[in-house]
Amino acid sequence: MNDETAILRTLELALRGSGFVSPNPRVGAVILEYGEIIAEGWHKEFGGDHAEVAAIKSIGRESFEGCTLVVNLEPCSHYGKTPPCADLIIEKKFSRVVVGMVDPNPQVAGSGIEKLRAAGINVEVGVLESECQWINRFFIKHIKTALPYVMLKYGQTLDGCIATSRGESKWITGAESRRRVHTLRSEVDAVIIGKSTAITDNPQLDVREVEGRNPKRIVFDTDLTLPLSLNIIKSECGNTYICCNPNAEKTRKAENLRLAGVNLIPVEVNEKGMLNIPSALYAMTDLGIYSLMVEGGAGILSSFAKSQLIDELQVFIAPKILGDGKHSFESYNTNYLKDALNFKIRAVSKSGDDIHVISTFY
């Protein structure tokens, strides 16, 4: 097995920790002897064994002399919730280590690699680096900016409609696309919708179609006008949050929402009385939210477009035409092409009868 194939396996393993390791990165590790995998491991939960430790423990050998450890992210070199992985790798006498990418965390940032090399271990760095960066894009964004990674997800027709002119949207896209959306929900820390979507669609915003943990559910409701009968308020998940005007936080409605188990997040408003997106994102970071998916509707999608704080688009396009319907970004307008938001297409695939497009912001 070559280094690239081994790194691809670490990425498959790393994905098993999706949703459970945040704010830590997703990491997988394999141990090779004579070119064959003899042990595997991945980071399973925040505070638990790192991938390298899990792989080593899975086989129970005292020495790995002559063996290669392959990991998609640089082994840590500092004490956090667990001891440094670099020290254990040295102790176990690995001859070679293959690293997909350098850890951008300033507490590591190459020091793990330096420690391994200083101990006489042959270290290869940057194998399938782009793929390794993609799988940990949430972690990288937060480490570099202190802001959560922002993903926008929406299903639309070929002519860009997310609902009919009467507001009907279930279901524009098919079953496979909905399953993929549930997978995305299981990977992010939170999902966000606007007040209108909460009232019109009355969604649950949980994970049902696949295995995985439920994300936090956030609604933007400036003046706290949501009815208490909504699914996201009635359900007993205990992870519903409402971003609101600080003044609304002191009202009787606010107290009723708290009694119903809803958490309120006071957020600054702009000159138009709308919630300030950057302020909301910083408030979410304080709550341990490092990745989020905005699920609509058109108003909140437009607000994020205006903020220019979008990292990624997950778009599901159904082979339908609605004509005079509600469009994805109908409140976001530009008069000149030079002012358009530009994205790079990262992947296009079939999703049942739909097309799934993944794009990232330039």
Side-chain angles (χ1 to χ4, degrees), residues 141-180:
K141 168 73 180 293
H142 176 67
I143 285 292
K144 291 185 174 181
T145 69
L147 284 170
Y149 190 93
V150 178
M151 177 194 302
L152 268 59
K153 183 282 302 178
Y154 51 97
Q156 66 175 38
T157 61
L158 289 171
D159 56 339
C161 294
I162 60 173
T164 67
S165 58
R166 300 177 62 180
E168 184 184 357
S169 62
K170 292 184 178 179
W171 297 102
I172 283 179
T173 54
E176 172 59 20
S177 295
R178 295 196 292 277
R179 188 193 68 79
R180 293 189 186 192

Side-chain angles (χ1 to χ4, degrees), residues 8-159:
L8 287 174
R9 179 56 183 163
T10 69
L11 296 178
E12 292 174 353
L13 294 168
L15 284 172
R16 297 182 183 181
S18 296
F20 299 103
V21 300
S22 180
N24 283 354
R26 295 181 284 189
V27 185
V30 298
I31 298 174
L32 304 178
E33 188 171 42
Y34 304 118
E36 300 295 329
I37 294 178
I38 61 170
E40 298 181 332
W42 67 94
H43 188 30
K44 295 182 179 180
E45 60 182 357
F46 179 67
D49 287 341
H50 287 187
E52 304 94 318
V53 177
I56 290 168
K57 284 184 176 180
S58 73
I59 196 170
R61 278 170 46 168
E62 289 302 313
S63 174
F64 289 87
E65 192 168 359
C67 294
T68 296
L69 174 70
V70 183
V71 62
N72 59 292
L73 185 71
E74 175 184 7
C76 64
S77 56
H78 67 293
Y79 281 88
K81 289 191 174 294
T82 59
C85 292
D87 290 356
L88 181 64
I89 294 167
I90 294 168
E91 176 190 328
K92 294 296 182 179
K93 297 182 171 57
F94 280 90
S95 299
R96 184 169 178 263
V97 175
V98 177
V99 176
M101 63 170 284
V102 175
D103 191 334
N105 186 344
Q107 291 182 298
V108 185
S111 61
I113 293 167
E114 291 176 6
K115 181 178 281 191
L116 295 174
R117 285 174 171 162
I121 297 174
N122 177 17
V123 182
E124 299 289 337
V125 183
V127 179
L128 297 184
E129 184 176 35
S130 178
E131 289 84 348
C132 294
Q133 290 172 340
W134 176 253
I135 199 174
N136 277 315
R137 59 198 186 279
F138 305 161
F139 173 72
I140 294 169
K141 168 73 180 293
H142 176 67
I143 285 292
K144 291 185 174 181
T145 69
L147 284 170
Y149 190 93
V150 178
M151 177 194 302
L152 268 59
K153 183 282 302 178
Y154 51 97
Q156 66 175 38
T157 61
L158 289 171
D159 56 339

Side-chain angles (χ1 to χ4, degrees), residues 48-330:
D49 287 341
H50 287 187
E52 304 94 318
V53 177
I56 290 168
K57 284 184 176 180
S58 73
I59 196 170
R61 278 170 46 168
E62 289 302 313
S63 174
F64 289 87
E65 192 168 359
C67 294
T68 296
L69 174 70
V70 183
V71 62
N72 59 292
L73 185 71
E74 175 184 7
C76 64
S77 56
H78 67 293
Y79 281 88
K81 289 191 174 294
T82 59
C85 292
D87 290 356
L88 181 64
I89 294 167
I90 294 168
E91 176 190 328
K92 294 296 182 179
K93 297 182 171 57
F94 280 90
S95 299
R96 184 169 178 263
V97 175
V98 177
V99 176
M101 63 170 284
V102 175
D103 191 334
N105 186 344
Q107 291 182 298
V108 185
S111 61
I113 293 167
E114 291 176 6
K115 181 178 281 191
L116 295 174
R117 285 174 171 162
I121 297 174
N122 177 17
V123 182
E124 299 289 337
V125 183
V127 179
L128 297 184
E129 184 176 35
S130 178
E131 289 84 348
C132 294
Q133 290 172 340
W134 176 253
I135 199 174
N136 277 315
R137 59 198 186 279
F138 305 161
F139 173 72
I140 294 169
K141 168 73 180 293
H142 176 67
I143 285 292
K144 291 185 174 181
T145 69
L147 284 170
Y149 190 93
V150 178
M151 177 194 302
L152 268 59
K153 183 282 302 178
Y154 51 97
Q156 66 175 38
T157 61
L158 289 171
D159 56 339
C161 294
I162 60 173
T164 67
S165 58
R166 300 177 62 180
E168 184 184 357
S169 62
K170 292 184 178 179
W171 297 102
I172 283 179
T173 54
E176 172 59 20
S177 295
R178 295 196 292 277
R179 188 193 68 79
R180 293 189 186 192
V181 169
H182 281 260
T183 297
L184 290 170
R185 283 182 186 170
S186 73
E187 294 179 352
V188 297
D189 293 332
V191 294
I192 300 178
I193 58 173
K195 175 183 66 176
S196 295
T197 298
I199 294 172
T200 302
D201 293 350
N202 195 18
Q204 298 181 61
L205 299 181
D206 57 1
V207 174
R208 299 184 302 279
E209 303 284 340
V210 298
E211 291 186 7
R213 67 98 171 89
N214 290 318
K216 291 181 173 65
R217 305 173 301 180
I218 301 174
V219 183
F220 276 28
D221 181 16
T222 308
D223 299 316
L224 296 182
T225 58
L226 291 176
L228 297 175
S229 59
L230 293 178
N231 287 328
I232 57 174
I233 295 176
K234 288 195 306 180
S235 64
E236 299 178 358
C237 293
N239 64 346
T240 298
Y241 296 75
I242 298 179
C243 290
C244 64
N245 186 324
N247 293 330
E249 191 188 16
K250 304 169 187 176
T251 62
R252 182 181 295 274
K253 181 63 176 290
E255 184 59 29
N256 290 336
L257 286 166
R258 291 192 188 95
L259 290 173
V262 175
N263 306 282
L264 301 182
I265 307 174
V267 174
E268 296 176 8
V269 295
N270 59 28
E271 64 280 359
K272 295 183 179 180
M274 307 291 289
L275 295 177
N276 180 277
I277 299 296
S279 296
L281 294 181
Y282 280 115
M284 291 175 206
T285 301
D286 291 340
L287 294 171
I289 296 170
Y290 302 115
S291 60
L292 57 91
M293 181 164 68
V294 182
E295 293 208 29
I300 197 167
L301 292 175
S302 298
S303 293
F304 271 86
K306 291 172 185 175
S307 76
Q308 298 195 17
L309 290 172
I310 304 169
D311 296 297
E312 179 180 327
L313 298 178
Q314 294 271 351
V315 188
F316 297 88
I317 305 171
K320 298 179 174 74
I321 292 177
L322 290 179
D324 186 24
K326 295 182 181 295
H327 287 261
S328 314
F329 295 90
E330 61 184 16

